[in-house]
């Protein structure tokens, strides 16, 4: 029997509905949650992502403003802008879209954002809170979204082996930290695999939950998946496809059609993990506003 599909679009819509209600409550008390996105340069993919984030904010009733800076922006100019946004009480969430132009030091940018406005969850204070199991911090949006997908799909994660393929700071490492935590939809035994892992299949085949985030289409084949496993695919790569009007299509890291015959649960690409990232960004922003309002 083919795997059950995890419908990320529907689960994200439910979360956006919950966020809308929380925004309405905040607005009734005079607080309009605001996300400020900083976009440096003219990377077309980043422009598309940022536009999506902006639209989503507006749909749930939040304020959004995108500050577009030229690719020539200096580190100093960006730092000054971040200081202004940190000090502005009307701004609840700050997100600087990556990748950055070469002259910008990504680590310095992340460290400059006030951790209480770091809705990406990338600041070392938030990373530390995640590792320490302190629920006070902001959790990076994609891993938080994947945990929500597992929760919504009623996966009893306790004691399962969760294998994360990819060790990025945005997805792989925080994902592993979340799943190893002592708490609901966690308590897994976690393995992180990466480009130097020897015999990747020997790890993926023992995964009850397999999460892949590397951006390599077709990396995960049916033989690499344990029958009945939950497979969550973060990869999103545009490949040529002559059968499509656009001439391209989006694919994940998983050989979807073949793995679907083996797995118990699987996320499609698109429509799986992707919609959750924005939903969790909205949730983080409304939390930031709630905390500021309560302070
Ligand atoms: N670029 C790609 N994904 C992300 C993300 O989640 N946050 C930021 N700030 N930049 C990104």
């Amino acid at each position: 029997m083919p795997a059950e599909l995890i419908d990320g679009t529907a689960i994200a819509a439910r979360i956006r509905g919950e966020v809308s209600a929380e925004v309405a409550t905040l607005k009734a008390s005079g607080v309009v949650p605001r996300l400020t996105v900083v976009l440096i340069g003219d990377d077309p993919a980043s422009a598309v992502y940022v536009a999506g984030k902006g639209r989503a904010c507006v749909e749930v009733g939040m304020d959004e403003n995108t500050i577009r800076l030229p690719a020539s922006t200096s580190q100093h100019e960006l730092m000054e802008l971040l200081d202004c946004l940190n000090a502005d009480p009307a701004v609840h969430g700050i997100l600087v879209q990556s990748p950055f132009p070469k002259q910008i030091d990504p680590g310095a940018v992340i460290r400059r954002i006030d951790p209480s406005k770091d809705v990406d969850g990338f600041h070392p204070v938030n990373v530390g809170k995640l590792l320490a199991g302190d629920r006070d911090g902001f959790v990076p949006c994609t891993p938080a979204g994947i945990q929500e997908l597992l929760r919504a799909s009623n996966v009893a994660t306790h004691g399962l082996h969760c294998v994360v393929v990819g060790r990025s700071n945005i997805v792989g490492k925080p994902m592993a930290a979340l799943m190893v935590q002592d708490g609901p939809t966690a308590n897994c035994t976690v393995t992180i695999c990466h480009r130097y892992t020897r015999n990747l299949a020997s790890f993926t085949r023992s995964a009850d939950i397999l999460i892949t985030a590397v951006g390599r289409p077709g990396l995960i084949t049916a033989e690499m998946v344990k029958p009945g496993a939950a497979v969550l695919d973060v990869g999103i790569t545009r490949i040529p496809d002559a059968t499509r009007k656009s001439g391209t299509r989006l694919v994940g890291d998983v050989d979807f059609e073949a793995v679907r015959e083996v797995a118990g649960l699987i996320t499609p690409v698109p429509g799986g993990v992707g919609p959750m990232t924005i939903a969790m960004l909205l949730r983080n922003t409304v939390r930031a506003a709630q905390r500021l309002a309560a302070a």
Side-chain angles (χ1 to χ4, degrees):
M1 201 174 60
E4 197 182 311
L5 283 190
I6 301 179
D7 186 347
T9 306
I11 297 165
R14 199 238 313 138
I15 290 170
R16 285 156 81 136
E18 291 166 8
V19 171
S20 287
E22 291 177 272
V23 170
T25 304
L26 276 169
K27 280 179 154 175
S29 67
V31 177
V32 184
R34 175 185 287 184
L35 174 67
T36 294
V37 178
V38 181
L39 176 62
I40 314 159
D42 34 38
D43 176 54
S46 291
V48 171
Y49 289 136
V50 163
K53 289 170 185 176
R55 266 196 312 276
C57 285
V58 172
E59 276 167 26
V60 296
M62 297 195 318
D63 265 1
E64 183 273 348
N65 71 320
T66 299
I67 299 175
R68 291 182 171 76
L69 300 176
S72 59
T73 301
S74 70
Q75 178 86 20
H76 181 70
E77 286 165 328
L78 181 57
M79 293 299 175
E80 285 197 325
L81 171 65
L82 292 176
D83 290 344
C84 286
L85 296 173
N86 285 338
D88 184 346
V91 173
H92 303 101
I94 302 170
L95 182 152
V96 186
Q97 183 70 22
S98 66
F100 307 127
K102 278 195 281 296
Q103 73 277 16
I104 304 288
D105 171 2
V109 171
I110 290 164
R111 288 191 298 274
R112 194 69 161 227
I113 297 171
D114 182 332
S116 69
K117 298 189 178 189
D118 167 40
V119 287
D120 259 331
F122 297 162
H123 190 284
V125 166
N126 286 316
V127 174
K129 284 184 175 180
L130 173 59
L131 273 181
D134 178 344
R135 283 151 210 246
D136 234 32
F138 290 111
V139 177
C141 302
T142 301
I146 290 171
Q147 196 180 36
E148 279 297 332
L149 291 177
L150 291 167
R151 185 173 298 137
S153 308
N154 297 312
V155 177
T157 56
H158 303 254
L160 297 187
H161 186 201
C162 175
V163 174
V164 180
V165 184
R167 57 173 169 185
S168 71
N169 289 339
I170 295 182
V171 184
K173 284 191 248 177
M175 187 78 245
L178 262 185
M179 297 310 291
V180 81
Q181 265 176 4
D182 185 357
T185 322
N187 283 328
C188 287
T189 301
V190 176
T191 301
I192 306 182
C193 300
H194 49 77
R195 72 174 79 231
Y196 294 103
T197 298
R198 294 186 190 172
N199 197 356
L200 176 64
S202 70
F203 294 97
T204 60
R205 264 200 294 269
S206 81
D208 304 298
I209 300 170
L210 177 60
I211 301 168
T212 166
V214 290
R216 277 182 55 196
L219 175 70
I220 306 296
T221 61
E223 302 72 48
M224 295 168 77
V225 175
K226 181 176 179 172
V231 178
L232 296 107
D233 191 351
V234 185
I236 184 152
T237 307
R238 194 169 284 284
I239 61 163
D241 182 348
T243 69
R244 300 284 173 103
K245 214 167 115 197
S246 64
T248 64
R249 79 188 148 104
L250 292 173
V251 291
D253 296 336
V254 173
D255 179 359
F256 181 80
E257 292 306 332
V259 170
R260 199 181 170 180
E261 298 301 319
V262 181
L265 278 171
I266 190 166
T267 55
V269 175
V273 174
M276 295 301 289
T277 300
I278 291 187
M280 302 318 285
L281 175 66
L282 299 174
R283 183 186 270 181
N284 278 350
T285 305
V286 88
R287 295 244 158 105
Q290 285 165 338
R291 283 180 197 160
L292 201 75

